[in-house]
Amino acid sequence: MILYMTVKPIKYLYTILTALVALFSSLSNEINAATPKQSGSQFVLILDPGHGGKDYGAVGRIANEKTINLDVALLVGHKLDQAFGDKLKVVYTRSDDDYISLKERATIANKSHGNLFVSIHVNSVDRRNRNRASIKGASVYTLGLHKADDNLDVAQRENAVMTLDDNFEETYEGFDPHSAESYIIFEFSQNLHMAQSVRLANEIQNRLITEAGRADRGVRQAGFWVLWATGMPSVLIELDFICNPEQERFLDSDEGKVKMADAIAGALSKYIASTIGIQAPDLKKVKSKDRVESTPKPEPVELASETPVDSAVVVEPVVESKPAEKVYKIQFLTSSKKLKNSSPELRGLKNVDFYIDNNVYKYTYGSYLKKEDAQADLRNVRKRFRAAFLIALCDGKRVDL
């Protein structure tokens, strides 16, 4: 059985208790910051374009998630800023192609005393999914326990971004995005803003269907770390599936981005106006930007090896590094036991190796003397193993990057 839980039970329980103490100790401050009480007060909207920088998110044939997320978020923010004027302050967790960690995103939202957190993403499914090219539709998530496996899959994919951070195990206090057990922390957290979040999620979902023409995949709940860490009403939007060529063309088009942004802005306008006690502005009188200058799309990157990740070849071990020589590798899988070369998890991979840490086998791809060479291959490996990340080894032991 493949295990993704590497945190010891005692450490895990300590992590839960630490998180709960932090949550409840700041409860009163979060309540005061979350909802303005005075009619006409300024509303602080946090727009969070998912991924960015070295994290491309889901990748399609012609586009990537990080660019679509940013373009739509900037369109939303521009329209609302024009409509509300000084009654609204829009804060972006990123406004260009920068990598911002999940923890930094939550920190930006909380330090800005946000009244609402909106995270924008694009969906995808595993390459082995037979419906990959036909699946479609928008969905809006609020924080909660996953009630379906596909909800958990989406949360795990989005939470896996934290593995790109150096020493992410310490930064996120042992939270393992791949372990179902880690998500128990959301069962113990009291989401004070559930009613507002669900109300907004329903409004956004309805407008994405009726105004942007997206198929309806419903309002859902799942354990997104960034929603849990922000002390305010919050939603996470999955615009559509980039793995579907037809939907990808819409997501990547200027027309599609404007339609989706206008739908989201309309829902947010209604929510904001209601919260601060004013009449919602007529967004039809506010001209949308025709387009937003996108961040550059990535050039296709081939793996350094002659054999691509998805081809069927016999697994070959990596040549051992010279003693005391630091090498970079791409970690993509952990297991409680040593896997056979013919196992499905390793099928199609060349240059595979493993190291043992706390009696857990951790599998790596490639061996690089230069960090930039490893980063180039990482983009392709992550198309199959979403949570793959870079590590550095010296004499077979993991060291800092």
Side-chain angles (χ1 to χ4, degrees):
M1 180 178 69
I2 305 302
L3 296 178
Y4 296 103
M5 182 67 180
T6 60
V7 183
K8 293 182 178 180
I10 294 177
K11 181 180 179 182
Y12 178 67
L13 289 174
Y14 172 78
T15 300
I16 294 176
L17 291 174
T18 301
L20 287 173
V21 170
L23 176 67
F24 290 116
S25 65
S26 61
L27 213 50
S28 59
N29 291 334
E30 292 179 359
I31 295 172
N32 293 333
T35 307
K37 305 296 183 183
Q38 199 170 0
S39 178
S41 60
Q42 187 182 55
F43 189 101
V44 180
L45 170 64
I46 313 296
L47 289 178
D48 175 48
H51 308 279
K54 64 183 179 180
D55 175 23
Y56 283 75
V59 178
R61 296 179 182 179
I62 62 173
N64 63 77
E65 180 184 356
K66 68 172 184 177
T67 302
I68 296 168
N69 296 343
L70 180 58
D71 288 353
V72 172
L74 292 176
L75 286 167
V76 171
H78 170 78
K79 189 150 196 173
L80 291 174
D81 185 59
Q82 294 294 309
F84 281 90
D86 59 6
K87 292 184 176 63
L88 174 68
K89 178 181 179 181
V90 179
V91 176
Y92 299 92
T93 58
R94 68 178 181 97
S95 56
D96 50 25
D97 188 25
D98 286 336
Y99 174 75
I100 308 295
S101 72
L102 292 183
K103 187 170 185 178
E104 289 174 305
R105 293 169 192 267
T107 298
I108 290 170
N110 291 328
K111 284 191 174 181
S112 299
H113 301 287
N115 301 114
L116 178 64
F117 181 86
V118 178
S119 191
I120 298 175
H121 290 260
V122 170
N123 218 336
S124 187
V125 293
D126 189 273
R127 284 189 169 191
R128 292 165 290 186
N129 190 313
R130 65 180 64 183
N131 298 320
R132 178 177 171 82
S134 59
I135 191 170
K136 61 182 180 180
S139 51
V140 183
Y141 286 83
T142 62
L143 177 67
L145 291 177
H146 53 276
K147 298 180 180 179
D149 289 341
D150 54 347
N151 290 7
L152 175 60
D153 290 343
V154 175
Q156 287 180 326
R157 178 169 61 82
E158 300 296 359
N159 289 335
V161 173
M162 65 178 61
T163 63
L164 297 179
D165 300 351
D166 294 336
N167 301 317
F168 83 93
E169 297 97 335
E170 295 180 12
T171 301
Y172 296 93
E173 299 181 327
F175 183 90
D176 182 354
H178 298 298
S179 169
E181 287 84 355
S182 283
Y183 290 79
I184 196 173
I185 63 173
F186 304 127
E187 183 175 359
F188 289 105
S189 72
Q190 185 92 17
N191 187 359
L192 302 178
H193 316 295
M194 180 61 71
Q196 301 101 303
S197 300
V198 171
R199 174 165 60 89
L200 175 61
N202 278 300
E203 185 68 24
I204 295 174
Q205 181 70 11
N206 180 61
R207 289 178 183 253
L208 284 172
I209 298 163
T210 58
E211 298 176 15
R214 303 301 84 207
D216 185 8
R217 291 183 61 83
V219 171
R220 304 178 174 211
Q221 288 184 333
F224 294 96
W225 190 93
V226 73
L227 299 188
W228 173 73
T230 50
M232 62 204 71
S234 57
V235 297
L236 186 145
I237 304 168
E238 296 283 358
L239 295 169
D240 213 318
F241 286 82
I242 198 172
C243 54
N244 179 327
E246 180 182 354
Q247 308 312 315
E248 181 186 10
R249 286 191 292 272
F250 178 86
L251 290 167
D252 191 47
S253 69
D254 292 337
E255 179 185 4
K257 291 173 184 176
V258 169
K259 283 185 176 180
M260 293 183 294
D262 284 354
I264 295 169
L268 295 180
S269 174
K270 181 178 178 180
Y271 179 92
I272 294 167
S274 173
T275 302
I276 62 177
I278 65 172
Q279 184 175 355
D282 185 358
L283 294 188
K284 293 180 180 179
K285 295 181 180 180
V286 181
K287 190 178 186 308
S288 300
K289 283 187 177 181
D290 293 328
R291 69 187 307 275
V292 170
E293 290 299 325
S294 301
T295 50
K297 297 176 184 176
E299 294 295 326
V301 178
E302 296 295 332
L303 291 179
S305 61
E306 295 180 356
T307 308
V309 171
D310 284 338
S311 63
V313 296
V314 177
V315 175
E316 297 179 4
V318 166
V319 177
E320 290 295 328
S321 306
K322 294 179 181 179
E325 186 175 38
K326 185 176 181 178
V327 295
Y328 298 94
K329 300 192 177 189
I330 300 171
Q331 184 170 317
F332 64 92
L333 184 68
T334 61
S335 174
S336 61
K337 62 182 180 180
K338 185 177 180 181
L339 300 175
K340 296 181 179 179
N341 287 355
S342 58
S343 65
E345 293 80 12
L346 301 180
R347 187 174 299 133
L349 289 176
K350 198 173 183 178
N351 293 335
V352 171
D353 199 3
F354 67 86
Y355 66 100
I356 301 175
D357 180 25
N358 291 327
N359 296 319
V360 175
Y361 291 83
K362 299 187 176 183
Y363 282 83
T364 63
Y365 172 87
S367 184
Y368 314 84
L369 295 179
K370 295 182 179 180
K371 188 176 181 180
E372 54 266 31
D373 292 339
Q375 289 174 328
D377 271 7
L378 176 63
R379 287 193 288 268
N380 256 0
V381 175
R382 289 185 67 226
K383 292 179 182 178
R384 176 171 172 183
F385 298 96
R386 180 65 185 81
F389 59 97
L390 292 187
I391 64 168
L393 297 177
C394 188
D395 280 345
K397 297 181 180 179
R398 187 168 171 181
V399 295
D400 292 337
L401 287 172

